[in-house]
Amino acid sequence: MAGQKHDLEDKHMENSEVSPFMSMFENFRNELDEHQDRRERIIKASRDITALKYSHSNGEPPISPQAPSNPRLKLNSIYRVRNLRQPVSPPIAKETSTRYDSIKELFATIAPDLQGINSWRYQKQISGGCQEYVEAISFHHYLETQRLITHQEAQALIPGGIELTVDDYVLGLFDLTGELMRFAITNIATNGALPRGGTAAHNSEEKGRDILMDLRQIRTSFESLDTSSGPSDWSYLKNDIEKKMEVMRQSVGKVEYAAYGMIIRGRERPKGWVPDLSEGQERGRELVESY
């Protein structure tokens, strides 16, 4: 019986060697291995792009892409800008340029993995990195021009032919409102005024336009978005927009509350005072003008 069992195993092995299905499944295995490797490379690059937005607040050099990111250690150098519509100072421009170059290198390393149909196959994996990059470049762009970067302008800043979807572009602009809020609050605390268009503005209306007016206009535009009438595969975008919509409203409300406090009670407070935003947040929309 034992000999008969070995004979059956030998025959099975012989049949397996000549089976046409073996090579087919080996190809499937290789394709799945390549897919997993490609997916992991894109995920890692997306996380590294996010990590490069962070640094120690004391102005240390950019952290290594391999170092773990910490959102509490966000780069603060660009918040030292005080006026809109003016070129960023050379020291700050040099620091941000170094970061942008590192991010572009990361995009370039995964560009071959995101060509053709793969640009959509792995869109979810690179989406977070694209949104973070849009947030960063749109903030820099706003400081120098006091306007939002367009989708075409943002796409041109992503190397390697990697496609920037409209979804990631819009979601990145949602995150931009948080950066504008921190920038506005920093200026209120240090200068006692809201940032506004400088001498580079083309007319008196632009010179008088401050960051709060821009934030209110952005809020109005975002609130007019309608994601309920789209196709069924828009459900993920609808969920993301609903989450970011609430955060965006809170960011604009914080700037409004800080501006009201600066105007009404500003003279009673010492220089360098930082508004207690938690107070306005707890009291809700009663203290914030809504549109």
Side-chain angles (χ1 to χ4, degrees):
M1 296 295 293
Q4 183 178 359
K5 181 179 180 180
H6 286 301
D7 291 340
L8 292 174
E9 291 178 353
D10 293 340
K11 289 181 180 180
H12 177 70
M13 292 179 64
E14 291 177 2
N15 292 334
S16 298
E17 292 176 358
V18 297
S19 173
F21 296 104
M22 284 299 295
S23 60
M24 182 187 303
F25 280 96
E26 286 177 356
N27 289 334
F28 291 159
R29 180 190 62 193
N30 294 334
E31 289 179 5
L32 287 174
D33 288 343
E34 291 176 1
H35 160 68
Q36 292 296 337
D37 292 342
R38 190 181 302 116
R39 183 175 179 275
E40 290 301 320
R41 284 196 299 269
I42 295 172
I43 290 175
K44 183 179 183 302
S46 181
R47 290 173 177 171
D48 290 344
I49 290 169
T50 301
L52 280 170
K53 282 187 57 187
Y54 301 99
S55 177
H56 293 288
S57 59
N58 59 6
E60 292 181 5
I63 61 175
S64 168
Q66 288 75 27
S69 64
N70 184 347
R72 295 184 181 275
L73 299 178
K74 200 157 193 176
L75 174 65
N76 289 330
S77 61
I78 201 164
Y79 293 105
R80 297 197 297 266
V81 175
R82 291 293 174 262
N83 297 312
L84 301 175
R85 290 181 176 270
Q86 293 183 4
V88 175
S89 64
I92 298 176
K94 181 179 179 181
E95 184 175 346
T96 56
S97 177
T98 301
R99 250 174 209 80
Y100 292 151
D101 290 342
S102 299
I103 291 175
K104 289 179 180 179
E105 289 177 5
L106 288 170
F107 274 123
T109 59
I110 58 172
D113 296 326
L114 292 169
Q115 301 301 317
I117 194 173
N118 285 341
S119 65
W120 296 101
R121 186 180 187 184
Y122 303 105
Q123 198 277 325
K124 184 177 180 181
Q125 282 70 42
I126 193 59
S127 177
C130 288
Q131 292 177 36
E132 294 286 348
Y133 187 55
V134 169
E135 178 188 357
I137 60 178
S138 60
F139 182 44
H140 196 143
H141 186 83
Y142 175 83
L143 293 179
E144 294 190 329
T145 65
Q146 203 179 359
R147 68 178 181 84
L148 294 181
I149 193 171
T150 65
H151 177 258
Q152 292 78 9
E153 290 171 332
Q155 176 67 78
L157 294 175
I158 299 181
I162 297 176
E163 182 169 358
L164 174 64
T165 65
V166 176
D167 298 352
D168 288 338
Y169 167 72
V170 172
L171 293 174
L173 292 184
F174 266 105
D175 295 335
L176 168 67
T177 58
E179 298 294 335
L180 296 180
M181 179 271 293
R182 283 181 280 272
F183 175 66
I185 296 298
T186 301
N187 271 266
I188 290 175
T190 55
N191 295 340
L194 285 167
R196 63 180 63 247
T199 56
H202 298 293
N203 52 55
S204 58
E205 181 179 352
E206 290 183 348
K207 288 182 181 179
R209 200 175 86 236
D210 58 43
I211 193 171
L212 180 54
M213 297 173 65
D214 292 336
L215 280 169
R216 283 172 166 169
Q217 185 175 356
I218 292 172
R219 178 178 61 187
T220 301
S221 299
F222 277 145
E223 288 177 339
S224 66
L225 287 176
D226 179 17
T227 57
S228 60
S229 59
S232 58
D233 58 352
W234 277 19
S235 58
Y236 75 95
L237 178 61
K238 178 182 178 181
N239 293 334
D240 287 344
I241 286 181
E242 287 178 351
K243 294 176 184 176
K244 291 179 182 276
M245 185 76 75
E246 184 60 28
V247 176
M248 180 273 299
R249 287 173 176 148
Q250 291 176 0
S251 296
V252 180
K254 288 177 181 179
V255 178
E256 289 178 322
Y257 178 74
Y260 296 158
M262 174 189 67
I263 295 172
I264 298 174
R265 296 178 293 176
R267 294 181 180 179
E268 303 173 3
R269 291 167 176 160
K271 183 178 180 181
W273 166 84
V274 179
D276 183 8
L277 299 178
S278 60
E279 179 184 350
Q281 188 173 0
E282 292 174 358
R283 295 170 67 181
R285 294 184 177 84
E286 297 177 0
L287 297 175
V288 179
E289 180 182 0
S290 60
Y291 287 88

